[in-house]
Amino acid sequence: MIERRLLRDVPEGSFRVCDRSHGQVLLPSPELHLLLRASELDALDLALLVCEYCGTYWTRPDLRRGLVKRPQPMTSRARILEYLDRVPRGVRGVARLRQAVDLGFDGSASPRESGLALLQTYRDGDAGFGLPRPVLNERVELSRAAQAYARWPEATPDERWPGTMVCAEYESDLDHGGGDDPRALQKRKRDENRRRALEEDGFTVEAIFADDLRDVAAVERLMKRLARDLGVRPNWAPVAGWLEPLRRRLVGYRCVI
């Protein structure tokens, strides 16, 4: 049990009733919980937590895969910002949480997707790639010809860059079960059909594999490919040694709580 003392009133909707059978048991709303954690976490770890609360998973380090899927997000970046607009002046953590919301993403389906999106877009002085921001797992309507591949009227690429015809799909044996597991094979087949459908409609689909994230040289090659696809000039001139700690932190093979 962690006890925190709130020195100021909090906005309406900051608590949710969990159990009425033994009086009222209240839980902090996702927005209040993020605000409380803002004074404990730095901007990147807080941004990862924002992605989790605004995504369709929650991290479970005690499980083999490290996460559990949920049907819908607990909140959104817009709802967090609306909540912060109602927080009284002087409350700690507001500025840091706003920064984390600005860095974070809606719609992520896994810690790896969250970390990859942050790795692509993060910029801190001379450290960071600063690529354009994608949207995650947003539906794309398919033409009739493309539906012949996907067998569905729409597709949800892992990443899509608005205003372009560029998508990215993250592929991982770890995420898909690996080996000859029938469910993993079926998932890989669906992913391949989705890529073909998107390509049929003129999208450039960049497949991102686990090996693309395992070392600094591979990450730099990946970012250069994405920059080429997006038609932007790679403008990073990083100080020596900045990338490996960031790579390990954002896409290392662990879950970040």
Side-chain angles (χ1 to χ4, degrees):
M1 181 74 68
I2 299 174
E3 179 178 317
R4 293 182 176 89
R5 187 179 299 274
L6 301 175
L7 300 180
R8 289 176 173 80
D9 291 338
V10 292
E12 183 179 355
S14 292
F15 294 94
R16 297 181 180 179
V17 177
C18 176
D19 185 359
R20 296 181 185 273
S21 60
H22 299 87
Q24 282 196 344
V25 177
L26 302 179
L27 292 177
S29 68
E31 297 81 18
L32 175 59
H33 185 250
L34 286 167
L35 182 59
L36 293 172
R37 296 301 305 276
S39 60
E40 305 167 352
L41 302 174
D42 68 11
L44 275 177
D45 277 347
L46 190 58
L48 286 168
L49 194 59
V50 166
C51 290
E52 180 173 341
Y53 277 37
C54 298
T56 54
Y57 68 95
W58 70 81
T59 50
R60 284 284 303 273
D62 57 311
L63 300 179
R64 183 180 66 86
R65 294 188 66 205
L67 76 156
V68 175
K69 297 289 187 179
R70 60 167 164 250
Q72 60 187 18
M74 290 193 290
T75 186
S76 68
R77 294 167 67 234
R79 284 164 58 185
I80 298 169
L81 292 176
E82 188 275 332
Y83 177 83
L84 292 178
D85 286 341
R86 296 187 286 113
V87 172
R89 288 179 178 271
V91 173
R92 292 178 59 192
V94 171
R96 181 171 291 180
L97 183 52
R98 285 188 184 277
Q99 180 187 13
V101 171
D102 186 55
L103 292 172
F105 292 86
D106 290 302
S108 177
S110 73
R112 189 60 45 75
E113 286 185 10
S114 300
L116 176 59
L118 283 168
L119 184 64
Q120 291 164 344
T121 57
Y122 182 67
R123 189 81 181 179
D124 182 17
D126 289 332
F129 292 106
L131 292 176
R133 286 177 61 87
V135 294
L136 308 185
N137 297 294
E138 187 174 81
R139 294 177 179 178
V140 175
E141 292 187 9
L142 298 174
S143 67
R144 183 167 297 181
Q147 290 177 33
Y149 292 101
R151 299 182 181 179
W152 201 254
E154 51 194 26
T156 54
D158 294 336
E159 297 183 309
R160 182 179 64 81
W161 279 265
T164 77
M165 296 294 288
V166 179
C167 298
E169 293 277 289
Y170 176 70
E171 302 294 343
S172 168
D173 286 342
L174 177 65
D175 290 341
H176 294 173
D180 296 326
D181 180 85
R183 289 175 299 180
L185 293 173
Q186 186 179 36
K187 177 68 165 60
R188 286 197 288 272
K189 181 63 175 177
R190 287 200 303 268
D191 289 348
E192 176 63 25
N193 288 341
R194 183 169 66 241
R195 281 198 299 274
R196 290 182 178 181
L198 289 166
E199 289 170 347
E200 174 68 27
D201 276 353
F203 283 93
T204 296
V205 183
E206 188 72 57
I208 301 175
F209 296 91
D211 284 347
D212 292 320
L213 307 176
R214 292 188 191 278
D215 60 64
V216 167
V219 167
E220 288 183 330
R221 289 194 297 269
L222 167 63
M223 297 305 171
K224 288 178 180 177
R225 293 201 310 268
L226 287 171
R228 177 203 63 204
D229 294 339
L230 293 167
V232 299
R233 183 177 180 180
N235 60 355
W236 50 86
V239 294
W242 72 273
L243 179 52
E244 181 56 15
L246 191 65
R247 184 198 70 83
R248 287 182 177 275
R249 187 174 181 184
L250 293 177
V251 293
Y253 284 77
R254 63 186 180 91
C255 286
V256 180
I257 301 174

